[in-house]
Amino acid sequence: MDNAIIVRDITKVFRIGHNRQIVALDNVSFEVKEGEFFGLLGPNGAGKTTLTKIISTLLIPDSGEVLVNGYSIYKEPMKVRQSIGWMQGETGGRALYWRLSGYDNLKYFATLQGVNSKVAEIRIKTFLKFLDLDKDAYRLVKDYSTGMKIKLLLIRALLHNPSILILDEPTVGLDVASAIKIREFLRELNEELNKTILFTSHNMTEVEQLCDRIAIINKGKIIFVGSARQMKEKVEKVKVVSLKVRMNGKTENELVSSLMKMNSVEKILSKRNDEGIYEFRIAVRDPYETIPELVTKLKDWKIEAIERSLPTLEEAFIRILGGDYIE
Amino acid sequence: MSNTENLLDAFRYGRGLEKQSLKLKIHRVFGVVWAQMKILLNYKMQFFLEVIDIILNVLIYYFIGFLVSGDELAKLGYRTSYQAFALVGIALSRYIWTSISRISRRMQREISIGTFESILVTNTSIDLWIIGQALFGFLWSSLWFVGTLVSGILIGIPIIITVYNLPQIIFIVLFSVLVHASIGILFAAIAILYKQIETVLFVFSTTIEFLGGVVYPIAILRKYQPLYYLSLMIPFTHSLELMRKVMISGINIWDPAASINLIALSLFLPLVWLSFKVLNYYYEEARKLGEISSY
């Protein structure tokens, strides 16, 4: 699989006043593969927006190189722009002409993207219908809800059929239903239309649901690149198995004693009784040994669920940011 | 057909149609004009106030004209009423003001509403967008120009518009707009990096309107030699002189009395090339400094 985006040793320093400077990006390198859904995570001010703007040709780095579909942001910015659909973040639906209708906004940007009028007409109508905006297409954008504006921004980014989408917090400020709709749409674009998506978000559930790989950026440096699972495993200090058992007339002590007799069980970390169903979090040496052993040894018990318990993505993110993980 | 297939189909349909031809570039420029026109027409009150503005301007100078005698103007080389003299001045000054200020103001507006970056990530170059804005400014000012002249003619102000001098009038307008739009592009270039240039624009345009002789003949300035020579160094002075000679005195543009102004105006043509160079320089600087979206 080829790389859709290659970021190599990018450094960007902003000068503030005469003698202050902020290192926004410090030797940042990573790749995004073709057809990949790639998440860029980081706290506010970490450098995410700076990075997406560099990839989108809006900002020139001090050093390093970025290739988008093989085109250099320095030498062929127009080809880079043709390859990407960019949706800026933190707009809450700004970045549109509020005194134009949704349809006219899209028509204007289709023209700027160089899309033939006839083609633009078909694409605009298809996308508006797909995202349930067709009935409001001719209303002025000033009368749109935030969700409708975000949908419009997304459609705008797609009009010229870019192979790569760069989306800066596309679901921020949306209600649950609209966020779900946008997520479904993004997944469809990625899975069915093979669009490469570079995506920034603070919503960990969303990132976990959508992204194939994640990069974490903090203070201008990439500190992690990998899948959500790898991210969780990286911060896992103790291997934990979670067990849910219905007591079925037996006592808690009987269960604890059975567990402690097992070879791979090290310690019971916590237990919780939820209306007759006990949930145990057990520290183990190797979860892949423990789980079959539990199934065998507890065959007389009513096991509700048994699984390897990893930290949440949120916990993993916080620990990686704090440097609290095992290299 | 499923929804996803519809999407795929919508993309498939346009494959191979997006080419960077001249026709497409023109299409983009007119796309900018079309969008600006639609936005403006959606501000109905502004449109209405523009019409009131035209009528009020004409009426103000119509009544001031009763205070200025034609004899005084004749001594300064204009055989006409003051009303006709001022009418041409204010009609043309609108073109100049729009040419100079529109692009940078529009740019600041786009930055503040957040659309400027979205425009810059399209594959329309900033040059084409600027040309579109300048063209819209020209078309909009043309309505103002025609409206002013028609208002003046309706209240009996004598100006000469015939089938013979109309092409010359259009030529002068186009030529003047071209030169002054380049000054506008220079301001826009500065605005990309230094943002708030509204005050500079105001001072500059007021100065050129004052020295260019919108409401008085620049011959008066001969009493103040430095100001007079300064006024001759301003392209607007020559645009206005040329227009008055054609529309008031009925002189042909190729007549030596008029062509001197045409030559003077031509000297400013390199500004067109220079302005795009400066614009691209400042645009690149803004991209380096991260100043494109700040305001």
Side-chain angles (χ1 to χ4, degrees), chain B residues 2-57:
Chain B
S2 77
N3 277 341
T4 313
E5 278 168 353
N6 277 334
L7 285 182
L8 276 167
D9 219 40
F11 281 136
R12 237 180 254 131
Y13 185 79
R15 206 167 278 169
L17 289 176
E18 298 91 344
K19 286 176 187 159
Q20 295 283 345
S21 62
L22 178 66
K23 194 178 155 198
L24 205 55
K25 285 182 180 170
I26 294 169
H27 180 61
R28 289 171 188 186
V29 168
F30 279 96
V32 175
V33 173
W34 168 84
Q36 296 309 311
M37 191 64 84
K38 278 217 134 183
I39 291 167
L40 186 76
L41 293 176
N42 277 324
Y43 285 101
K44 293 182 179 63
M45 182 59 101
Q46 189 187 339
F47 191 81
F48 174 70
L49 289 174
E50 293 274 359
V51 175
I52 299 282
D53 191 23
I54 291 172
I55 295 167
L56 280 179
N57 261 290

Side-chain angles (χ1 to χ4, degrees), chain A residues 197-216:
Chain A
I197 300 180
L198 173 64
F199 165 90
T200 76
S201 176
H202 288 291
N203 182 333
M204 297 295 154
T205 315
E206 183 171 89
V207 169
E208 193 160 14
Q209 277 176 12
L210 294 172
C211 297
D212 301 316
R213 283 196 309 145
I214 296 160
I216 298 180

Side-chain angles (χ1 to χ4, degrees), chain B residues 63-83:
Chain B
F63 288 112
I64 288 175
F66 291 117
L67 303 172
V68 183
S69 80
D71 296 343
E72 288 296 319
L73 277 176
K75 278 183 210 163
L76 296 166
Y78 300 94
R79 298 180 188 287
T80 186
S81 68
Y82 177 75
Q83 281 100 339

Side-chain angles (χ1 to χ4, degrees), chain A residues 189-253:
Chain A
L189 288 171
N190 176 246
E191 289 175 1
E192 306 294 331
L193 307 185
N194 201 37
K195 302 279 178 204
T196 305
I197 300 180
L198 173 64
F199 165 90
T200 76
S201 176
H202 288 291
N203 182 333
M204 297 295 154
T205 315
E206 183 171 89
V207 169
E208 193 160 14
Q209 277 176 12
L210 294 172
C211 297
D212 301 316
R213 283 196 309 145
I214 296 160
I216 298 180
I217 185 167
N218 191 28
K219 294 175 186 161
K221 289 187 175 184
I222 296 280
I223 54 173
F224 172 84
V225 182
S227 66
R229 188 169 182 91
Q230 285 170 334
M231 190 170 150
K232 291 173 181 177
E233 284 175 350
K234 203 173 177 93
V235 298
E236 190 186 32
K237 285 180 175 168
V238 179
K239 292 182 172 56
V240 177
V241 166
S242 153
L243 171 72
K244 276 188 186 174
V245 181
R246 193 176 285 276
M247 278 302 148
N248 199 24
K250 300 186 178 179
T251 65
E252 185 191 325
N253 286 343

Side-chain angles (χ1 to χ4, degrees), chain B residues 117-146:
Chain B
E117 287 186 327
S118 312
I119 291 166
L120 296 178
V121 291
T122 65
N123 49 46
T124 289
S125 67
I126 189 167
D127 294 357
L128 280 187
W129 183 79
I130 293 263
I131 292 169
Q133 290 298 340
L135 185 60
F136 171 74
F138 165 73
L139 293 173
W140 177 238
S141 305
S142 296
L143 287 178
W144 212 91
F145 182 73
V146 172

Side-chain angles (χ1 to χ4, degrees), chain A residues 3 14 28-29 62 65 69 89 94 102 105-106 152 164-165 176 200 204 217 226 229 248 253 259 267 316 318:
Chain A
N3 287 317
F14 291 115
V28 167
S29 297
D62 297 334
E65 173 65 290
N69 272 354
R94 278 172 75 245
N105 264 281
L106 296 175
L152 208 59
I164 300 166
L165 285 174
V176 178
T200 76
M204 297 295 154
I217 185 167
R229 188 169 182 91
N248 199 24
N253 286 343
L259 289 173
K267 190 179 170 188
I318 296 293

